[in-house]
Amino acid sequence: MPLNIGTAVARPRERTTGWFDAVDLPTGGTDRFPVIIAQGDPNGPVLWLTTGIHGDEHTGVVVIHRLLETLVLGELTGTLVAVTNLNPAGLRTRKRTAYYLDGDPNRHFPNPSSGSRPAVAQLQSAYARLYDVVARTKPAGLIDLHNAFIGSIAFIFRDPVFYHRRRGFGRGRTRGEAFALQERVGEMVSAFGFTVINEFAADSYVEKELHRSVSGSMLNGLGIPACTVELGSWMHVDPGVADAAAAGIRNVMRWAGMLPGDPEPIEGIPVLRPGYQVRRHMGPAAPAAGIVDMLVRPGQTVRKGERIAVMRDLFGSPLGPHDGGAIYANYDGFVIGWRHGVARYRGESLMALAIPDDSEMVV
């Protein structure tokens, strides 16, 4: 049967567009998600691309545009579905969240622990309806495009996979099925070619409601390979990152059997392969309220005990328990990116690090 998402209807060897209705506005009109469907031979896999759930993260839509410019539909086996903005209100105001929704919109996708369809707000209901549409297409994978911290390297987050015979996250998924799914995710992120960083360990992952992010809900709720790709700093587009990401998506399409040819090299960005698994760590923490002076750059390797920042007050006097206000790395690893700004309250993290990870990715 023809594939349709909202008003967009797939047609073999054509690119079509349409709208997926989301939120009725009190001033009239409707906030809608823009949908692009590029189909080659319809007898092939489906791959979803989503972006813009945070209104101040803009690189993803440019990546999708550049990807589509290079896509030859005569070479495409299957269907590429792209939703180029999941938060129209946030994009209009250039804010992370929507002004009519409390909290982070990337924590409002359906909850895979209960299969519930949240309907407290229309936007949540729209996400639930979109979730159901994704399920019906039985995709080979989904890639959600974001931006990260100031100065951040470009990288991929890989989520844990949950399983349980009767209840909770991964309900109805066996341990063997969970390992098979995580292996498939590993193949997909490896094909993309960016630096791979595991998300928070399972307990923190659930506590932070990342199981209700776009990629987390698709992975653990629908059981399809899904990941979050972070495309460097927010609020601007780095052309080198955009080109590298478009190449990475084409590589995933080759992995899925949608495009011919060998994988493309990822160029124009650093790709870090430390030889061991790493996960996200927000730290170290500020020992006192003050001004932080970073001594290391994103992408730089650090060693436990290495001096990586200095804390001072507004007059330049050192803060904290160490001489000169020094702050030391509490783990080996590398710098992902800086937290925004220089002002820190006591206990706030100074930066994002990637540190060695021995936690379970199937839980």
Side-chain angles (χ1 to χ4, degrees):
M1 295 181 63
L3 186 153
N4 64 284
I5 292 96
T7 63
V9 180
R11 289 193 287 269
R13 293 172 181 81
E14 290 188 30
R15 190 173 93 181
T16 57
T17 62
W19 297 97
F20 189 94
D21 286 347
V23 178
D24 294 330
L25 300 174
T27 53
T30 303
D31 268 357
R32 305 178 295 177
F33 305 149
V35 179
I36 304 169
I37 304 177
Q39 188 172 77
D41 179 347
N43 299 306
V46 176
L47 179 70
W48 281 72
L49 305 176
T50 55
T51 194
I53 198 163
H54 294 141
D56 54 4
E57 299 176 11
H58 302 152
T59 304
V61 64
V62 174
V63 169
I64 292 171
H65 292 168
R66 292 190 181 194
L67 172 72
L68 291 168
E69 284 180 346
T70 66
L71 200 59
V72 179
L73 296 182
E75 297 179 350
L76 176 61
T77 300
T79 306
L80 181 71
V81 180
V83 182
T84 55
N85 185 261
L86 285 169
N87 179 3
L91 180 60
R92 279 197 299 275
T93 59
R94 291 176 287 188
K95 302 292 185 184
R96 181 178 177 86
T97 191
Y99 49 80
Y100 43 67
L101 178 74
D102 292 332
D104 188 333
N106 202 32
R107 305 295 185 269
H108 284 280
F109 266 70
N111 186 344
S113 70
S114 63
S116 63
R117 298 293 184 267
V120 175
Q122 263 198 297
L123 186 59
Q124 291 177 316
S125 178
Y127 291 154
R129 289 186 286 109
L130 185 65
Y131 176 92
D132 290 338
V133 171
V134 174
R136 288 199 298 272
T137 65
K138 296 180 171 59
L142 179 143
I143 300 169
D144 191 35
L145 303 172
H146 286 251
N147 290 93
F149 315 100
I150 292 292
S152 167
I153 63 169
F155 63 94
I156 297 178
F157 273 135
R158 185 172 65 173
D159 295 31
V161 173
F162 296 92
Y163 68 94
H164 199 288
R165 286 181 300 169
R166 293 182 299 276
R167 60 183 176 79
F169 311 127
R171 182 174 56 184
R173 183 177 301 130
T174 67
R175 183 173 185 269
E177 289 168 340
F179 272 100
L181 177 57
Q182 187 60 269
E183 182 177 357
R184 190 78 172 154
V185 173
E187 292 173 358
M188 184 173 77
V189 300
S190 178
F192 200 107
F194 277 24
T195 301
V196 178
I197 299 173
N198 293 342
E199 260 292 11
F200 293 112
D203 287 349
S204 295
Y205 178 88
V206 174
E207 181 183 341
K208 298 176 188 300
E209 294 193 296
L210 285 162
H211 61 295
R212 296 190 63 185
S213 65
V214 178
S215 62
S217 68
M218 300 300 174
L219 176 66
N220 280 297
L222 297 182
I224 65 171
C227 64
T228 298
V229 179
E230 301 282 355
L231 300 170
S233 295
W234 66 324
M235 288 297 286
H236 80 282
V237 177
D238 182 321
V241 172
D243 286 339
I249 294 170
R250 288 192 294 270
N251 286 341
V252 171
M253 295 174 75
R254 294 183 179 98
W255 162 80
M258 300 174 70
L259 286 179
D262 296 326
E264 300 173 50
I266 299 300
E267 299 175 335
I269 64 168
V271 177
L272 304 177
R273 296 188 175 94
Y276 51 84
Q277 287 197 118
V278 295
R279 65 174 168 87
R280 172 169 35 167
H281 170 71
M282 304 306 297
I291 305 301
V292 60
D293 181 358
M294 304 294 190
L295 304 181
V296 289
R297 299 183 60 82
Q300 183 174 334
T301 298
V302 299
R303 292 290 184 184
K304 183 178 180 179
E306 180 181 346
R307 186 169 174 261
I308 60 173
V310 174
M311 288 294 297
R312 305 183 182 94
D313 65 18
L314 281 172
F315 300 102
S317 299
L319 296 171
H322 303 296
D323 290 344
I327 295 175
Y328 300 95
N330 43 7
Y331 295 96
D332 292 343
F334 59 84
V335 182
I336 302 172
W338 300 307
R339 295 295 301 271
H340 304 158
V342 298
R344 292 290 186 277
Y345 290 93
R346 181 179 180 179
E348 280 192 322
S349 59
L350 302 184
M351 63 186 72
L353 296 176
I355 65 172
D357 183 28
D358 58 2
S359 62
E360 297 290 338
M361 291 300 290
V362 175
V363 183

